Amino acid sequence: VPPKPAVALPPAPTAPVPLTLPNLVPGWRLDWDGPIIVSHQPETFQHSPLTVDRTPFIDVVIHNESIVEVPAPFSVDLYFDNRLVHTFEFSEGMGQNQLVWFPDWDELADKTQITEGPHTLKMVIDPDNAVEEADEGDNVYQETLVWVAGIPDAPAPTIYSNQELQQKLANLQAILETREPV
């Protein structure tokens, strides 16, 4: 029997370098629609169909994803179509792995003219670089939303026939039994 050829083992994984600085990023929370949420109802934390005829409530969510607290005050700028409309102040910094949100800011219509069509909301976290961070490149988030005139149509529910449901679920058993990443 011929000997087996030698196989080189892959290098052992190295542990990540521990964070020594805070890292401010746009925040995501389960069941919320993202770091910027716009709705016509307060305390929803989910987007609603938007109309130019009603006051928008804007929620902004920030996360310090580090084990190091943010010791200094900082701010978050909110832009509407690349025009600064508001600055949220964090006067006390942030704790380690803390998620903070500013709910229901309702002054957008006072600060700018909202017209029909798509508009981009953008947040810039710590625009003055008051906080030294582990990654300064992840401080911007933007989202484009569409406003309409009048009362927006409620989304129609999707209805599937039994055959369509069976077709959509046909591979479910195979997916559940696989041991490979899906």
Side-chain angles (χ1 to χ4, degrees), residues 74-85:
F74 66 96
S75 62
V76 175
D77 287 344
L78 181 66
Y79 292 83
F80 182 81
D81 291 337
N82 291 319
R83 181 174 163 240
L84 179 63
V85 291

Side-chain angles (χ1 to χ4, degrees), residues 7-25:
V7 176
L9 296 175
T14 58
V17 177
L19 288 176
T20 58
L21 293 171
N23 195 42
L24 299 169
V25 297

Side-chain angles (χ1 to χ4, degrees), residues 24-71:
L24 299 169
V25 297
W28 295 84
R29 191 163 177 188
L30 185 63
D31 291 333
W32 290 11
D33 278 346
I36 299 175
I37 304 159
V38 185
S39 176
H40 290 303
Q41 300 215 334
E43 300 180 23
T44 60
F45 301 107
Q46 295 187 348
H47 293 305
S48 70
L50 300 172
T51 177
V52 296
D53 304 317
R54 295 181 61 200
T55 301
F57 293 94
I58 299 175
D59 307 314
V60 174
V61 188
I62 310 300
H63 182 208
N64 175 14
E65 69 175 5
S66 173
I67 59 170
V68 179
E69 71 178 41
V70 178

Side-chain angles (χ1 to χ4, degrees), residues 11-180:
T14 58
V17 177
L19 288 176
T20 58
L21 293 171
N23 195 42
L24 299 169
V25 297
W28 295 84
R29 191 163 177 188
L30 185 63
D31 291 333
W32 290 11
D33 278 346
I36 299 175
I37 304 159
V38 185
S39 176
H40 290 303
Q41 300 215 334
E43 300 180 23
T44 60
F45 301 107
Q46 295 187 348
H47 293 305
S48 70
L50 300 172
T51 177
V52 296
D53 304 317
R54 295 181 61 200
T55 301
F57 293 94
I58 299 175
D59 307 314
V60 174
V61 188
I62 310 300
H63 182 208
N64 175 14
E65 69 175 5
S66 173
I67 59 170
V68 179
E69 71 178 41
V70 178
F74 66 96
S75 62
V76 175
D77 287 344
L78 181 66
Y79 292 83
F80 182 81
D81 291 337
N82 291 319
R83 181 174 163 240
L84 179 63
V85 291
H86 190 69
T87 300
F88 299 94
E89 299 291 338
F90 285 77
S91 58
E92 299 178 15
M94 278 181 83
Q96 58 191 17
N97 198 29
Q98 184 178 11
L99 190 72
V100 175
W101 57 94
F102 286 95
D104 302 330
W105 180 71
D106 63 355
E107 298 175 28
L108 181 62
D110 299 335
K111 304 277 184 167
T112 189
Q113 178 67 34
I114 304 172
T115 58
E116 288 182 72
H119 295 283
T120 301
L121 284 162
K122 176 173 69 172
M123 74 163 66
V124 179
I125 303 167
D126 191 27
D128 302 323
N129 290 322
V131 177
E132 185 180 2
E133 297 180 62
D135 184 355
E136 296 286 351
D138 56 3
N139 290 0
V140 177
Y141 176 82
Q142 70 180 28
E143 185 162 358
T144 301
L145 302 165
V146 178
W147 271 260
V148 298
I151 299 171
D153 295 331
T158 303
I159 298 172
Y160 297 103
S161 69
N162 282 340
Q163 182 182 0
E164 290 171 321
L165 283 174
Q166 287 174 351
Q167 186 178 24
K168 288 185 177 297
L169 298 174
N171 294 326
L172 181 60
Q173 189 65 38
I175 291 171
L176 291 174
E177 291 174 354
T178 186
R179 297 193 187 274
E180 298 296 318

